[in-house]
Amino acid sequence: MSLKNIDKISSDTQLSTFLAHGKCRRLHDINLNGDLVDDNLSLLFNPFLLSNDKDSIKRFKNGEINFIVLRNTGFNLKDSLITNDAVNTQLPASFIASVFTHLGISPVTYQGENNGLLFRKVTPIKSFEHTQSSLGAKEYLGFHVDNNHMALSNEHDNNHGSVSPDYLSLFCIRNNERISTELADITLALNQLSPKEINILKSPRFRIAFPDSFEVQGDIVAPVIVKNENGLCSRFDAAFTEPVDNETQQVFNKLNQRLNASAISITLNSGDLLIFRNQQMAHSRRSFIPKYNGYDRFLLRVFGVDSLTGVKSVSPTTPYYSIAV
């Protein structure tokens, strides 16, 4: 689940040099050549048909790289004057669904968040402006893993709720503010820590609050890192995690520093789609001042899982609508 070709990088200098290198960008940016077709509806049958970078797509599916950015999809906003509430999102939603199908990803949404809808409209809402959620804007969103209060993929059992999302996707409809999504590979950041520090992060000594986006509030006490025969997963969240003592606080802060030091900025243009492994890549977003005029940053977010076996549906008629905890 990690970047196999850079797992052994062990110094901040080497890491920052690699991340700044053009090869890292080319490894993840995939041009779908959507401008080559007269009818972009044909790309809904196979969104990767015209891409010249089948290797990166394959590597993402195999877990060798942890994120991809699909560029030039052909589904960018054609009318820049149309307001967010008037945008028809059915075509972008169909495109995302096709990408998920070709990558073998199942969509999922969770009870108590987003009213059970698969597609979340990520755009600032004034009543949420000071919340640590995707609907806010004025608060900095520090590095975090979404829905980290749920069971991670490598610790889930069927006696509890559903598994945390394996994937998080963001489709850009509008981004006039040029707000970037910051990504940081958790394995790379952990390579900067000692074995003792990693063991501390693997201990259940962290109190993690439910995120603001959920209607029901609460907390769990759990490890930040879980590593076993099924791989490495993380529930890191800079804002909603309370280490139980000074030792855990120091190590937690150090991991946060390493994540920030290794971050990659991804700026999405209209029509771009970012997909990353939620439990292996922490993400963040800087604060910004929205205008609430219908032209603010507007993304579509969809969660995904590798398998629905870890998903407990609310009812048989809603296979993707799952019980969170």
Side-chain angles (χ1 to χ4, degrees), residues 49-301:
L49 183 64
L50 300 178
S51 174
N52 295 321
D53 195 0
K54 302 293 196 299
D55 181 63
S56 290
I57 298 168
K58 181 179 179 181
R59 295 182 70 186
F60 180 72
K61 290 181 67 174
N62 292 341
E64 296 176 45
I65 57 178
N66 285 332
F67 74 94
I68 52 174
V69 186
L70 305 182
R71 310 276 192 186
N72 194 12
T73 64
F75 295 95
N76 55 297
L77 188 65
K78 303 299 191 292
D79 182 1
S80 62
L81 297 179
I82 191 170
T83 57
N84 289 345
D85 58 357
V87 172
N88 187 337
T89 60
Q90 291 184 353
L91 197 56
S94 298
F95 170 71
I96 298 168
S98 179
V99 170
F100 269 41
T101 298
H102 280 81
L103 293 176
I105 300 173
S106 296
V108 67
T109 186
Y110 298 97
Q111 191 176 36
E113 200 251 8
N114 201 38
N115 297 316
L117 300 175
L118 283 173
F119 295 88
R120 183 172 178 85
K121 295 181 178 181
V122 178
T123 192
I125 296 176
K126 191 169 181 59
S127 59
F128 287 82
E129 66 181 3
H130 289 295
T131 63
Q132 294 271 344
S133 78
S134 59
L135 303 181
K138 293 185 177 181
E139 297 293 328
Y140 165 67
L141 290 184
F143 276 105
H144 64 283
V145 169
D146 270 28
N147 295 6
N148 61 333
H149 63 299
M150 299 167 55
L152 300 178
S153 297
N154 60 354
E155 65 177 2
H156 179 260
D157 64 67
N158 292 323
N159 296 322
H160 298 87
S162 299
V163 70
S164 173
D166 294 308
Y167 302 91
L168 194 157
S169 68
L170 295 171
F171 179 89
C172 179
I173 293 175
R174 171 178 279 129
N175 188 15
N176 297 330
E177 303 92 340
R178 309 297 293 162
I179 304 298
S180 62
T181 300
E182 306 291 318
L183 294 179
D185 189 292
I186 295 169
T187 296
L188 291 181
L190 289 173
N191 282 344
Q192 316 302 308
L193 305 185
S194 69
K196 179 182 177 180
E197 291 169 329
I198 292 175
N199 283 333
I200 290 173
L201 293 168
K202 291 164 65 176
S203 64
R205 297 162 63 188
F206 301 86
R207 187 173 299 279
I208 298 164
F210 291 13
D212 279 350
S213 58
F214 274 78
E215 298 168 3
V216 177
Q217 292 299 296
D219 59 51
I220 62 169
V221 176
V224 168
I225 300 296
V226 176
K227 186 175 183 179
N228 54 32
E229 66 277 6
N230 295 316
L232 183 145
C233 297
S234 174
R235 54 167 51 89
F236 183 89
D237 191 322
F240 289 90
T241 302
E242 180 185 350
V244 299
D245 52 45
N246 289 335
E247 183 181 47
T248 52
Q249 183 71 66
Q250 290 176 5
V251 176
F252 186 82
N253 290 345
K254 187 173 181 179
L255 176 57
N256 190 30
Q257 292 168 359
R258 294 299 184 266
L259 290 170
N260 279 276
S262 63
I264 302 173
S265 295
I266 306 293
T267 302
L268 298 177
N269 302 309
S270 181
D272 290 347
L273 175 62
L274 165 66
I275 308 176
F276 59 90
R277 285 186 165 77
N278 177 54
Q279 299 175 39
Q280 286 76 41
M281 300 289 293
H283 64 287
S284 71
R285 187 222 67 218
R286 66 175 174 85
S287 61
F288 63 100
I289 306 299
K291 296 180 180 178
Y292 302 115
N293 60 357
Y295 298 98
D296 289 322
R297 177 177 181 259
F298 184 18
L299 311 176
L300 290 181
R301 185 209 72 191

Side-chain angles (χ1 to χ4, degrees), residues 108 156 162-163 305 307-313 319-323:
V108 67
H156 179 260
S162 299
V163 70
V305 291
S307 172
L308 290 176
T309 57
V311 172
K312 281 193 172 183
S313 299
Y320 302 127
Y321 183 30
S322 65
I323 300 170

